[in-house]
Amino acid sequence: ENGELIPDRRGRPYRQWREQIRSPQDIWDEIVRAGRIPGSTSAPKLQPIETRLVMLQTGMRAPMGIKVRGPDLETIERTAVQIEAMLREVPSIDAATVNAERVVGKPYLEIDIDREAAGRYGLSVVDVQNTIAMAIGGMEATTTVEGRERYNVRVRYPRELRGNPEEIGRVLVSAGGGGGGMTSAAGGGMGGGTPARAANQTATQVPLSEVTRIDYVRGPEMIRSENTFPVAYITFGARPGMAEVDVVEQSQLFLDEQMRTGRFALPAGVSYTFAGAYENQLHAAKTLRVVLPLALAIIFLILYFQFRSVPRTLIVFSGIAVAWAGGFMMIWLYGQGWFADFSLFGTNMRELFQFHAINLSVAVWVGFLALFGIASDDGVVMMTYLEQSTDERRPGTIAEVREATVQACLRRVRPCLMTSATTILALLPVLTATGRGADIMIPMAIPSFGGMSLVLLTMFTVPLLFAWHEERRVVRAAA
């Protein structure tokens, strides 16, 4: 009743039932706002399948986190809580998503056997343990057969006789080593019998509270271990527009600064490491440090084998530098609110091409690698015809060099434009994609789109550099 009908991609309209909900991020923000409870923290924004993949990679339900290792659970929990408080101060971290596991805090019922008291009653530790195991935990007594089915029958006290420490303390232990009494001081005989027999049993049995200490103690919620050490997790999420690698680096620098100033100190034997999906990007970045120079070197060699001249190869290779600049310019423009902020045929261009800030992820660098392979196409087309024109005319003066260069360029404008146009037009469907894989394909396509748009300048730079090189050759020949 308070919104218009909005068509989806398949043409079927649906009602905009809340005016403030316009994107998946708006839905998440609404969930966080409605689920805000004092004393609790929000969770990172992950989809079910994405959460499973992140857990398989890192073991945590978050894309970023810290693993704290130490000698005991209390120490690592205390350290994790301190780190949690400091991470909330990091500007690039969403403070509402910082959460350190409370490793210790679950109540446990602990029954500690008093060996001296048990010895005074002629009881062994095994007698007391068997009574506890059977009366409270239950022990398998027999197996019932129901056709092809088999069921184990376990025997233990009813819940009303083992529901709290006071009732457990009244459980009777047989002093004769009979493996535990099946009677209770509160409930009488479980299996019936004469009063005289019950009196004899009471005289030869000891309440569990006489030979044990029963208390509630704080214990671990869950015990995790890695590399033989107990570990606690601290998960957190980044603010919108922040790259995971940048967030981790800023967090590491912040914690190092706190340790230098003395505000935070790691206890003896405790260490912490950052973990998360960002580690894949670090590994990919290390690989790209080798692949990127190798790809550029191979492209240079291929061009050299074509032209057999280092200066001419460098002239064509300059197109890659132009394309590199175009790719970074497009990444910068994607993060500017004024860029392409207009409508065409009722469609806003920023919404159509999903303009937003782009971080330098692995997908972006892969896009640059693809750009390097096609950025030199226009230069190769132009340089090939310039060589042919020069070889045919053999200019001997600067004026003849310039005339031959201009004539060659005029005949290769159309092929260069067609080469760039086919690449740019082929990338438009990718830039407007919204389905599965779009979050990877769009960052890969942006460098190629920007680079090929700017690489059209090679129609001017390549002839200009070629003419300059040939003019110097003519001058040296005349001298």
Side-chain angles (χ1 to χ4, degrees):
E1 62 185 31
N2 59 349
E4 68 276 11
L5 293 178
I6 299 177
D8 65 3
R9 303 185 195 95
R10 292 167 289 187
R12 293 178 294 184
Y14 59 93
R15 185 171 296 280
Q16 174 65 15
W17 57 284
R18 291 188 184 181
E19 191 64 28
Q20 70 274 20
I21 303 298
R22 291 289 177 176
S23 66
Q25 181 64 40
D26 295 336
I27 298 176
W28 175 255
D29 294 339
E30 190 71 12
I31 293 174
V32 173
R33 185 193 64 78
R36 186 177 292 114
I37 301 174
S40 65
T41 60
S42 176
K45 186 180 68 176
L46 294 174
Q47 298 296 325
I49 297 178
E50 183 182 6
T51 303
R52 182 60 59 186
L53 293 176
V54 169
M55 288 185 64
L56 290 174
Q57 293 174 353
T58 65
M60 301 179 296
R61 291 189 179 93
M64 292 179 291
I66 296 178
K67 296 180 179 180
V68 181
R69 300 180 179 89
D72 56 78
L73 297 177
E74 290 78 7
T75 302
I76 62 175
E77 181 190 22
R78 185 167 56 253
T79 304
V81 172
Q82 292 177 350
I83 296 177
E84 175 193 42
M86 286 183 290
L87 288 179
R88 297 182 190 274
E89 303 176 16
V90 179
S92 58
I93 293 179
D94 186 359
T97 62
V98 182
N99 180 36
E101 287 184 341
R102 268 49 178 181
V103 181
V104 180
K106 184 177 180 179
Y108 283 83
L109 185 64
E110 187 177 88
I111 302 177
D112 186 14
I113 300 176
D114 188 343
R115 294 174 179 267
E116 294 183 0
R120 287 195 297 268
Y121 288 102
L123 296 172
S124 66
V125 174
V126 175
D127 294 333
V128 181
Q129 289 177 337
N130 287 341
T131 299
I132 296 172
M134 181 178 65
I136 301 173
M139 296 183 65
E140 184 178 334
T142 183
T143 301
T144 178
V145 180
E146 304 290 343
R148 293 178 55 84
E149 301 173 358
R150 303 291 188 272
Y151 299 99
N152 295 329
V153 179
R154 299 180 65 86
V155 178
R156 64 176 176 177
Y157 274 15
R159 185 173 298 276
E160 60 270 14
L161 298 182
R162 55 177 175 86
N164 55 66
E166 291 75 16
E167 295 293 343
I168 293 175
R170 287 195 285 266
V171 172
L172 301 178
V173 183
S174 295
M182 289 300 294
T183 60
S184 169
M190 295 287 296
T194 62
R197 182 179 178 183
N200 291 332
Q201 289 180 348
T202 303
T204 58
Q205 292 179 337
V206 181
L208 194 61
S209 59
E210 295 291 333
V211 293
T212 61
R213 289 186 296 273
I214 305 173
D215 296 305
Y216 274 113
V217 297
R218 294 175 68 247
E221 298 276 353
M222 179 184 297
I223 301 177
R224 292 190 177 93
S225 63
E226 293 183 7
N227 300 326
T228 70
F229 285 98
V231 62
Y233 294 159
I234 308 170
T235 58
F236 54 90
R239 291 188 180 275
M242 296 298 300
E244 293 181 356
V245 175
D246 295 337
V247 173
V248 171
E249 291 177 351
Q250 293 181 17
S251 302
Q252 181 68 69
L253 292 175
F254 183 82
L255 292 178
D256 292 342
E257 180 64 24
Q258 300 306 309
M259 286 190 286
R260 281 195 297 268
T261 58
R263 179 185 173 190
F264 171 59
L266 282 176
V270 177
S271 63
Y272 69 89
T273 56
F274 285 86
Y278 81 98
E279 293 177 302
N280 296 332
Q281 185 168 340
L282 294 180
H283 297 324
K286 293 180 180 178
T287 304
L288 287 172
R289 291 192 184 102
V290 178
V291 173
L292 197 60
L294 183 62
L296 293 174
I298 292 175
I299 293 173
F300 184 86
L301 289 175
I302 293 174
L303 293 175
Y304 177 78
F305 293 150
Q306 170 66 27
F307 300 108
R308 301 290 181 177
S309 171
V310 173
R312 293 181 178 182
T313 300
L314 290 174
I315 291 173
V316 177
F317 198 77
S318 65
I320 294 179
V322 176
W324 184 295
F328 276 103
M329 286 178 62
M330 184 57 65
I331 292 175
W332 177 76
L333 290 173
Y334 252 72
Q336 305 303 309
W338 53 266
F339 181 66
D341 190 14
F342 63 92
S343 297
L344 186 63
F345 301 113
T347 302
N348 186 270
M349 293 296 101
R350 290 192 62 84
E351 295 181 0
L352 177 63
F353 288 95
Q354 307 170 64
F355 284 96
H356 62 279
I358 302 296
N359 297 312
L360 289 179
S361 62
V362 176
V364 172
W365 288 113
V366 172
F368 273 108
L369 281 174
L371 172 63
F372 296 158
I374 59 178
S376 57
D377 289 351
D378 288 350
V380 171
V381 172
M382 190 68 71
M383 179 60 72
T384 301
Y385 199 75
L386 285 170
E387 281 189 334
Q388 295 173 359
S389 177
T390 304
D391 293 341
E392 291 176 1
R393 300 192 179 196
R394 296 189 178 276
T397 63
I398 293 177
E400 292 177 354
V401 170
R402 294 179 179 179
E403 182 182 357
T405 302
V406 171
Q407 292 299 323
C409 292
L410 291 175
R411 294 193 177 188
R412 284 297 173 263
V413 170
R414 183 179 296 176
C416 289
L417 288 176
M418 291 179 62
T419 301
S420 299
T422 53
T423 303
I424 293 173
L425 293 176
L427 292 173
L428 291 179
V430 179
L431 293 174
T432 57
T434 56
R436 292 188 181 94
D439 55 336
I440 301 297
M441 295 302 299
I442 291 177
M444 291 177 60
I446 290 174
S448 298
F449 183 81
M452 290 306 296
S453 299
L454 195 65
V455 84
L456 293 173
L457 291 176
T458 56
M459 291 191 302
F460 304 97
T461 59
V462 171
L464 179 64
L465 294 174
F466 178 82
W468 172 74
H469 175 68
E470 290 299 313
E471 288 173 7
R472 292 189 61 189
R473 181 184 63 80
V474 170
V475 171
R476 287 196 302 268

